[in-house]
Amino acid sequence: ECDWSSDVCSSDLIQFANGLLKEFYPKRFDFSTITQNDLDVVVNIINNRPRKCLGYKTPARSFLQHKHKVSNLYLQSIYVLNL
């Protein structure tokens, strides 16, 4: 398991993300030639691609599940505090 705060893990994540972006944009690509919408389309594709490390869930789905879990915990804590 990776310690997400470590430099090694952060470096690995950055390299992985760079590799995904290189599938769409080659080295020395001039990003001034694309719109925000163009970039949003690529990010959407990347975030909806299943990952082995996420149990073949997509990053988008994994994020939403985590967000839902955190929201539920927050609501439960408010309920307990108001008792």
Side-chain angles (χ1 to χ4, degrees):
E1 184 160 324
C2 194
D3 173 11
W4 299 110
S5 63
S6 76
D7 289 340
V8 172
C9 189
S10 297
S11 175
D12 289 346
L13 283 173
I14 291 167
Q15 291 302 319
F16 179 74
N18 286 344
L20 290 175
L21 286 172
K22 286 178 185 177
E23 291 180 25
F24 297 91
Y25 303 110
K27 204 178 237 185
R28 295 181 182 73
F29 181 81
D30 181 4
F31 282 92
S32 68
T33 63
I34 63 169
T35 66
Q36 181 64 50
N37 188 59
D38 295 333
L39 190 56
D40 290 345
V41 168
V42 169
V43 168
N44 189 37
I45 291 168
I46 290 171
N47 284 336
N48 285 289
R49 182 185 293 176
R51 302 281 199 290
K52 181 180 180 181
C53 65
L54 296 174
Y56 296 99
K57 290 187 288 188
T58 67
R61 180 175 178 200
S62 183
F63 172 78
L64 289 175
Q65 286 177 334
H66 180 73
K67 182 180 170 189
H68 180 73
K69 182 178 179 182
V70 169
S71 294
N72 284 342
L73 289 172
Y74 174 73
L75 291 173
Q76 289 172 3
S77 70
I78 289 174
Y79 177 75
V80 168
L81 290 173
N82 288 325
L83 287 180

